[in-house]
Amino acid sequence: MFASIVSYGLAVGAVYALIGITYNVMFSASRVFSFTAGMLGMLGGVLGALFITEWGLPTIVGLVLVLACGAVLGIVTEIVTVRPVLKSIDQHLYVLSTLAFALMIQQLTAIWWGTDARPFPRLIPIGPGWLDQQFWLPMLACAVTIVGLELLYRKTLIGRAFLAIAEDAYAARALGLPETGLRMASYALAGMIGALAGFSGAEILLAFFGNQAILNFYGFVPVALGGMGSNRGAVIGGLALGVFQQAANFLVGGIFAAVAVFAVFIVVLLLRPEGLAGAATARRV
Amino acid sequence: MTDATASGPVRVGERSLLGKLEGSVSWILLGLVGLLLPLLDDSYIGVIAQRAYIYWILSAGLNLVVGYAGQIAIGWVSMLTLGAYTTAALTAGTATDPWHPYLALIAGGVIGAAAGVIVGLPALRLRTFYFAMTTLGFATIVTQVALAWKSVTGGGVGTPGPVFPWPFDPGWGFYYFCFILAALATWMTANIASSRFGRALVAIRDAEVAAEASGIAKPRLLIAVFLFAGALGGVAGGLFASLQSYITPDAFTFEISVLFFIAILIGGRGSILGPALGTIILTALPEFAAPLVQWSTFLYAALLLVIVLVIPGGIADLLDYKNRRPLEQHREIVPRPDLLGRVLGGDGRSRGKSTIALRDIELHFGGVRAIDGLDLEVRSGEVHGLIGPNGSGKTTTLNVISGYYRPNAGQMTLDGAELPFALPHARAGYRISRTFQTPRLVGAASVLENVMIGGTVHGHGTFTESILALPRHRRDERHLKAAALQALATVGLESLAQVRADRLQHSELRFIEIARALMLKPAFLLLDEPAAGLSAEEIRRLGNLIKASSREGVGVLLVEHHADLIFDICDRVTVLNLGKTLAAGTPNEIRSHREVVSAYLGA
Amino acid sequence: MPTSAPNPMVEPLLKISGLSAGYGKIGVLNGIDLTVGAGEIVALLGPNGAGKSTLLKAISGLLPRTGTITFGGQDMSKTGPREAVNAGLVHVVEGHRVFTQLSVHDNVMLAGYGMKGSELGTRVGEALRFFPEIAEKRNDRAVTLSGGQQQMLAVAQGLVRRPRLLMLDEPSAGLSPVLVDRVLAAAAQLRDAGTAVLLVEQLIEKALKLADRVYALARGSIVLEARTNEDDLPNRLEHAYFGQDVSAPLAS
């Protein structure tokens, strides 16, 4: 039972971690938290099941299509819901615009895909137990994403431009960096990461339109606790959250697990609003 | 002279009375329709109307949270869920012995109030998105618990809702119950909205630092509002459970939250009629568009997106004809320093002498020493100028005195008694008021309301008294309004009292800030570059006003770049450089001070 | 000294007329007229809050503005910073805002974002050659640099595109006198190489020594324009700064 708690917990936790990274990538590029992170995760599962189970496409083609859809949705998010409200970012209208967009996509999914959870195909028939795809696939996806992002940030000029914009968008603009293009690219990247999260975790979470709200919240918890913009915090926090949740589910039941996560979330944020690992920022008068 | 002051308030009074009437007509019509609706004897319409009333009871409270305080509480549907399950479970006796339905409804309100505070707490400290996410998370968790706690909630199968006995038994009795409670909710929220608490909420939303400087304690006020909004949500939930007659977790979809939000946004932030109409229309609309039912959430979400992107001000802004009327083009600000005595209360000589003293103040930001061992005294009846190059610590010093920054070392006293660090909202209690480098005003509120915010701490009535419009609340309002008109006349802007602040010119905003600061009847007035962006003539008038207020006994600290203004009106001048005093003395001493000239000229 | 006198027959490199700008409702600049000739160093002086930084931001397009800006014969009144940079009008903003988490080399490279790889490599080397002390640290993260070195890095970033006009906003702020001279010497070197410089500076004497011409800005308007070799300049500047009669420039 211990093994199953840990393996299941780590798998779900890896999905949370990836959603957390999705939040971070969008935030770094625009100082905007977008409710589309959970939507991307939800769609990763639904589209994967659609392409592979329903349409019968080969797994690899299905995955590429899912990532492409994620990228396109990321770009649409940037153009439709983020860019128009960036000028007055203090009014926080992005909270509502991204939420509205995410809900629209969720409802389209509910209408066309249905409101029932459907199974996600087993892609690599090995297992059962530890070797089962549902356990290692999310972890693998998470590892690939982290390594990929690291290479991007360290080895490519566009990756450095992402870092530059995240640190000081004004200076980046003055240097003549193509701010808008880079922001769109970041959102496309976030779209792919979010879709990958959903795709890799869908055998556990199923292809279900209702995953959106759950992923939105549980994917945000590690970001809030680990400090926003910190991918390391998101990964550690996500895995810990996943294991804690599974342990509580098995040992004391779902009510307690849900309430406990929420209580920890609120208490930590009230005591350390910048997150456990984040640094405090000075207020401006 | 007396004519001008006497006729000003009267004219303004008439206009707002007319405005009140315009508003009342809509409410009276709505009320009549509600009262007479049962005559149609159409139970289908009755059910729709009941749902609209129930939703409005919740959104009336949420309107204070979202529309007034500007807190994006997107998961407020959780209050509906909690109230519904509390009332239903207590009535059915699944957790305790069965309760009387009316008592259970009250319990629903109490639970809602408690949950409102719990969900609201993060808003006191956290950034907007974090708070939005907390409310969303709470809604998710409440639904998960409702599903999992089968013994009490019936899990996914559900539980029957309460049936209220006579006089509000099912049918038109229950209809009137909902109607009365909706009317009550409207009345109470309208009372709050038009009170000093309502203005304080808007100030927290649009000009938080100015709200603090006016002595508004954000935590207490927000907790009161969350409590009230949560209670209304809980009561709405109890009624909802009864209306549904059987509740399952599915009944409380996130879509309802979105509906509340659209109603408030489309109606316009800071309006009550708008959101009420919005709620009624959005509740009724899907009923008459049956083929679209499955698309309703999609359409709501699309509508929300359109509102946010296209008309963030809501319909209320579009319909605000009064504020489209063009203002006079060439307006002049003619302050009346002679009125200062009345605004400040009593005559200057009767006010005691007092002194704010800073000793050895040090403040570091990271490795940078913004203030590096500063001594400074501000005395009543004097204008003290603070000048120096950029980054020399002028505004930082002002922020230390007004409690925004906590120095790393040093002492600050007011007449020998310690003046506590880092408590901005406590400064109003010491009658220390200030203005800001960039005017911090509520653009969507009228000039008069903006100025009234400055006198918030002079009110005596409590939040509860304001909810119920008790006599002390009405007296507070009368006094604040009279004082604000007086302060506006003093700075020469009473003719603009009813205009939205965001329509004014920059120079007028600066003078409004001074009027707001005067509302505190300040012993000390801290001015942060009040002359920036003013014309030469305006600067001269500003100088006279500042000078006159110091002659009335106010101690003025003036941070300014305009050397000529400083030298004209200051009694004493301190020059800062790199966080230290470079020179201090009379204007004449400073003018001939070689080092000062070189600090300014960099030679 | 190379020829830097603006020739009235030749169209100046940068020509600004009737430029106004501000932040929201607060008008900071009213109707600025200013020119910079090719290969000329022009100092922009003025008391605090006069609008010097605002003027640079308005020229480079970091702030919305009205009025006309012509640069190298091209109308740039409506363009943003990216177009300005591409045209050779580079603005090194106030406060040595480099990217502290990136290496010195990467910081300079980003300034040439969009250029071809090999070309970019050459330009980065060229820009770093101006400042040997930071070229040595090319692989260190910028956070490890001192304030003065960060300022050099910021100037080096500005050089990558071989600008025709470099706008420097208070490059001396927070630097020790030695470093100030280093940074300002770089400006002189640039002029010798044919680059025009528009310099905002608090240290008036140093600025006057370096520049060919000077503008003084007070209360959002140009109150003085002079060649630096004219007589009695310091006194005239002081007069312009303190504005003996306030009502003059804004009396309307």
Side-chain angles (χ1 to χ4, degrees):
Chain A
M1 176 155 115
F2 175 74
S4 97
I5 289 176
V6 171
S7 53
Y8 197 82
L10 285 178
V12 177
V15 177
Y16 297 159
L18 282 172
I19 298 294
I21 293 175
T22 309
Y23 275 115
N24 277 341
V25 170
M26 292 189 278
F27 177 78
S28 299
S30 58
R31 304 281 124 179
V32 160
F33 282 114
S34 169
F35 275 111
T36 53
M39 168 200 91
L40 291 163
M42 178 275 289
L43 276 182
V46 168
L47 291 178
L50 174 71
F51 296 150
I52 296 169
T53 314
E54 305 281 312
W55 295 2
L57 296 175
T59 303
I60 189 69
V61 178
L63 174 62
V64 169
L65 274 181
V66 165
L67 295 183
C69 288
V72 170
L73 273 171
I75 292 173
V76 173
T77 303
E78 198 279 328
I79 295 174
V80 175
T81 69
V82 175
R83 201 180 299 173
V85 295
L86 267 188
K87 269 207 187 100
S88 49
I89 197 162
D90 333 337
Q91 291 181 33
H92 304 284
L93 290 176
Y94 61 84
V95 174
L96 296 172
S97 61
T98 59
L99 177 72
F101 180 68
L103 277 175
M104 285 164 68
I105 299 290
Q106 186 190 30
Q107 281 311 302
L108 286 182
T109 312
I111 290 167
W112 285 328
W113 178 253
T115 50
D116 294 327
R118 296 204 225 164
F120 189 82
R122 162 157 302 213
L123 308 175
I124 300 136
I126 44 175
W130 280 95
L131 292 175
D132 197 322
Q133 161 203 324
Q134 62 175 328
F135 297 132
W136 58 258
L137 194 57
M139 308 266 283
L140 177 69
C142 191
V144 167
T145 304
I146 293 166
V147 172
L149 282 178
E150 204 59 20
L151 287 176
L152 178 75
Y153 290 146
R154 289 192 192 281
K155 299 288 176 201
T156 68
L157 192 57
I158 191 173
R160 293 182 188 113
F162 285 152
L163 293 178
I165 283 206
E167 182 178 335
D168 190 341
Y170 173 79
R173 210 152 81 81
L175 269 193
L177 290 182
E179 204 192 6
T180 309
L182 287 171
R183 197 169 56 235
M184 272 169 60
S186 286
Y187 272 74
L189 178 65
M192 291 198 282
I193 297 172
L196 179 65
F199 184 90
S200 66
E203 206 184 337
I204 295 177
L205 299 171
L206 301 174
F208 176 43
F209 88 112
N211 282 342
Q212 173 161 327
I214 291 167
L215 288 179
N216 254 339
F217 181 60
Y218 290 124
F220 185 72
V221 172
V223 176
L225 301 188
M228 60 194 166
S230 157
N231 286 343
R232 187 181 309 164
V235 170
I236 296 171
L239 295 178
L241 175 63
V243 173
F244 172 80
Q245 221 180 20
Q246 289 316 313
N249 261 339
F250 273 95
L251 302 175
V252 271
I255 304 174
F256 176 80
V259 173
V261 170
F262 187 73
V264 169
F265 175 69
I266 288 214
V267 169
V268 170
L269 283 186
L270 285 179
L271 296 180
R272 278 187 67 89
E274 65 280 5
L276 291 173
T281 45
R283 63 179 294 175
R284 287 176 307 187
V285 175
Chain B
M1 225 184 254
T2 35
D3 270 339
T5 42
S7 64
V10 173
R11 252 191 335 231
V12 170
E14 275 172 1
R15 205 179 299 157
S16 75
L17 189 68
L18 192 71
K20 253 186 204 158
L21 268 180
E22 277 170 7
S24 312
V25 169
S26 317
W27 286 117
I28 291 167
L29 279 179
L30 268 182
L32 276 179
V33 170
L35 270 180
L36 301 179
L37 200 67
L39 294 180
L40 286 178
D41 205 23
D42 182 330
S43 63
Y44 177 60
I45 289 182
V47 168
I48 297 172
Q50 286 167 48
R51 186 171 306 138
Y53 296 149
I54 291 170
Y55 283 171
W56 169 241
I57 293 171
L58 184 143
S59 12
L62 185 62
N63 187 26
L64 291 180
V65 174
V66 176
Y68 284 80
Q71 305 294 326
I72 305 190
I74 52 176
W76 216 245
V77 65
S78 53
M79 303 303 146
L80 195 75
T81 321
L82 273 176
Y85 274 108
T86 305
T87 314
L90 287 178
T91 313
T94 50
T96 56
D97 288 336
W99 288 36
H100 191 279
Y102 290 116
L103 281 181
L105 182 67
I106 292 171
V110 171
I111 294 286
V117 172
I118 292 172
V119 178
L121 276 180
L124 308 182
R125 285 202 66 176
L126 299 186
R127 266 170 280 228
T128 308
F129 185 84
Y130 281 47
F131 174 64
M133 188 50 95
T134 318
T135 66
L136 180 77
F138 189 73
T140 310
I141 298 262
V142 166
T143 314
Q144 285 187 347
V145 170
L147 269 171
W149 201 0
K150 293 202 174 71
S151 63
V152 173
T153 64
V157 182
T159 189
V163 178
F164 291 101
W166 189 89
F168 301 122
D169 43 339
W172 296 114
F174 184 67
Y175 172 91
Y176 277 116
F177 193 30
C178 296
F179 175 75
I180 291 167
L181 287 177
L184 210 56
T186 312
W187 179 69
M188 293 195 290
T189 51
N191 286 339
I192 283 295
S194 62
S195 74
R196 65 194 176 107
F197 300 105
R199 289 187 297 275
L201 286 173
V202 175
I204 288 174
R205 179 188 81 196
D206 287 349
E208 190 176 344
V209 282
E212 280 178 309
S214 302
I216 294 165
K218 178 179 169 184
R220 276 178 55 187
L221 183 58
L222 280 189
I223 285 177
V225 167
F226 282 125
L227 201 77
F228 181 58
L232 285 182
V235 169
L239 298 174
F240 185 75
S242 179
L243 179 69
Q244 294 287 88
S245 71
Y246 200 84
I247 51 171
T248 60
D250 294 347
F252 305 93
T253 57
F254 197 67
E255 162 190 346
I256 305 180
S257 259
V258 180
L259 183 146
F260 298 143
F261 241 92
I262 305 174
I264 290 168
L265 289 182
I266 207 170
R269 303 208 304 181
S271 154
I272 292 193
L273 183 62
L277 290 175
T279 307
I280 294 170
I281 292 168
L282 287 178
T283 313
L285 208 57
E287 305 290 342
F288 301 110
L292 290 177
V293 161
Q294 89 165 330
W295 287 89
S296 66
T297 306
F298 178 84
L299 293 175
Y300 283 157
L303 190 58
L304 179 59
L305 186 60
V306 170
I307 294 168
V308 169
L309 298 183
V310 183
I311 42 163
I315 304 279
D317 261 14
L318 294 183
L319 297 181
D320 191 1
Y321 295 115
K322 193 179 76 185
N323 268 307
R324 290 256 191 84
R325 225 178 284 151
L327 296 174
E328 201 188 313
Q329 273 300 313
H330 298 285
R331 306 190 293 273
E332 229 185 323
I333 307 169
V334 189
R336 300 266 312 273
D338 53 301
L339 298 177
L340 270 169
R342 270 199 267 169
V343 172
L344 294 167
D347 74 304
R349 273 157 294 277
S350 71
R351 277 177 228 117
K353 284 273 172 199
S354 65
T355 305
I356 296 178
L358 275 63
R359 280 194 60 79
D360 299 323
I361 294 287
E362 279 181 32
L363 176 66
H364 316 164
F365 293 123
V368 183
R369 285 169 178 263
I371 305 180
D372 194 5
L374 178 70
D375 291 346
L376 185 75
E377 277 193 8
V378 186
R379 300 190 197 123
S380 43
E382 289 188 357
V383 183
H384 193 130
L386 199 55
I387 58 175
N390 274 339
S392 59
K394 303 178 301 280
T395 296
T396 314
T397 303
L398 198 148
N399 282 334
V400 166
I401 300 176
S402 55
Y404 287 99
Y405 294 150
R406 176 188 295 280
N408 301 75
Q411 286 169 327
M412 185 160 52
T413 55
L414 174 62
D415 296 333
E418 197 186 326
L419 191 57
F421 293 147
L423 282 175
H425 63 267
R427 289 302 184 264
Y430 294 102
R431 297 201 297 135
I432 299 173
S433 65
R434 68 168 291 176
T435 65
F436 297 88
Q437 224 173 69
T438 11
R440 308 290 178 108
L441 291 159
V442 180
S446 73
V447 168
L448 181 67
E449 286 165 330
N450 266 293
V451 176
M452 286 169 82
I453 287 168
T456 304
V457 292
H458 292 321
H460 298 287
T462 61
F463 191 80
T464 319
E465 281 172 281
S466 281
I467 290 182
L468 302 173
L470 297 180
R472 274 217 294 193
H473 155 81
R474 297 204 297 271
R475 207 179 314 134
D476 283 348
E477 289 306 303
R478 264 199 321 275
H479 287 168
L480 279 176
K481 190 167 175 185
L485 286 168
Q486 190 79 248
L488 272 173
T490 309
V491 301
L493 287 170
E494 75 271 39
S495 62
L496 297 174
Q498 300 301 329
V499 178
R500 266 173 71 117
D502 57 9
R503 301 186 63 204
L504 301 189
Q505 295 158 3
H506 172 70
S507 54
E508 289 163 338
L509 300 182
R510 292 229 176 264
F511 280 90
I512 294 171
E513 275 220 318
I514 293 176
R516 184 180 63 198
L518 289 175
M519 284 293 283
L520 206 54
K521 303 185 195 301
F524 291 95
L525 186 55
L526 317 176
L527 303 172
D528 196 355
E529 298 192 19
L534 265 53
S535 73
E537 182 54 28
E538 285 165 343
I539 293 178
R540 200 184 54 76
R541 289 173 182 174
L542 172 75
N544 287 340
L545 187 63
I546 295 173
K547 189 89 185 160
S549 61
S550 80
R551 294 304 161 258
E552 290 290 334
V554 179
V556 180
L557 182 67
L558 175 62
V559 169
E560 213 11 279
H561 278 315
H562 285 257
D564 16 78
L565 176 65
I566 290 273
F567 292 136
D568 268 0
I569 66 165
C570 286
D571 299 293
R572 287 186 303 145
V573 177
T574 298
V575 186
L576 295 184
N577 195 25
L578 301 172
K580 286 188 186 135
T581 305
L582 180 68
T586 65
N588 278 335
E589 287 162 10
I590 297 297
R591 228 181 211 291
S592 54
H593 197 288
R594 194 56 225 168
E595 271 184 78
V596 173
V597 175
S598 66
Y600 252 81
L601 294 178
Chain C
M1 209 189 260
T3 53
S4 53
N7 180 346
M9 308 308 287
V10 180
E11 184 70 3
L13 177 62
L14 174 72
K15 185 169 192 298
I16 291 167
S17 47
L19 183 82
S20 297
Y23 303 89
K25 278 192 176 179
I26 312 174
V28 177
L29 302 172
N30 334 288
I32 302 283
D33 297 328
L34 176 147
T35 60
V36 179
E40 186 185 27
I41 296 191
V42 175
L44 183 60
L45 309 174
N48 293 309
K52 302 181 299 283
S53 295
T54 309
L55 177 53
L56 294 199
K57 287 184 213 167
I59 295 174
S60 62
L62 282 166
L63 265 188
R65 71 286 203 202
T66 58
T68 57
I69 301 173
T70 324
F71 181 72
Q74 201 181 335
D75 178 35
M76 312 240 357
S77 314
K78 300 271 180 285
T79 53
R82 187 163 162 68
E83 290 81 359
V85 164
N86 284 334
L89 172 58
V90 171
H91 178 187
V92 176
V93 295
E94 194 180 7
H96 45 81
R97 295 172 76 155
V98 297
F99 306 112
T100 55
Q101 298 311 310
L102 299 177
S103 72
V104 168
H105 182 261
D106 291 350
N107 263 286
V108 182
M109 211 153 80
L110 273 178
Y113 190 86
M115 287 163 63
K116 277 211 194 71
S118 53
E119 169 86 18
L120 181 55
T122 323
R123 298 287 189 88
V124 170
E126 193 180 291
L128 282 174
R129 219 164 301 136
F130 268 86
F131 303 102
E133 48 271 77
I134 59 167
E136 272 170 31
K137 299 190 163 194
R138 63 171 66 222
N139 294 319
D140 296 3
R141 284 198 301 169
V143 70
T144 63
L145 300 185
S146 71
Q149 290 169 332
Q150 289 187 348
Q151 184 61 57
M152 291 180 199
L153 177 55
V155 177
Q157 284 181 318
L159 297 180
V160 169
R161 288 182 186 265
R162 290 190 192 145
R164 286 194 280 171
L165 171 61
L166 188 66
M167 300 196 290
L168 298 176
D169 196 351
E170 296 208 21
S172 70
L175 302 195
S176 69
V178 181
L179 284 173
V180 171
D181 290 341
R182 266 301 281 117
V183 171
L184 294 185
Q189 240 176 305
L190 281 173
R191 180 214 3 227
D192 298 349
T195 303
V197 178
L198 178 57
L199 176 71
V200 166
E201 198 33 87
Q202 291 274 347
L203 303 178
I204 295 188
E205 280 179 7
K206 289 187 191 289
L208 290 183
K209 215 181 279 173
L210 179 70
D212 305 306
R213 272 193 312 133
V214 55
Y215 286 96
L217 197 62
R219 298 173 294 275
S221 305
I222 299 281
V223 289
L224 180 113
E225 185 204 343
R227 301 196 53 76
T228 47
N229 51 16
E230 284 176 37
D231 295 336
D232 200 27
L233 195 51
N235 269 334
R236 285 166 63 198
L237 271 174
E238 187 172 333
H239 186 86
Y241 271 36
F242 282 100
Q244 291 317 21
D245 73 69
V246 213
S247 45
L250 283 169
S252 59

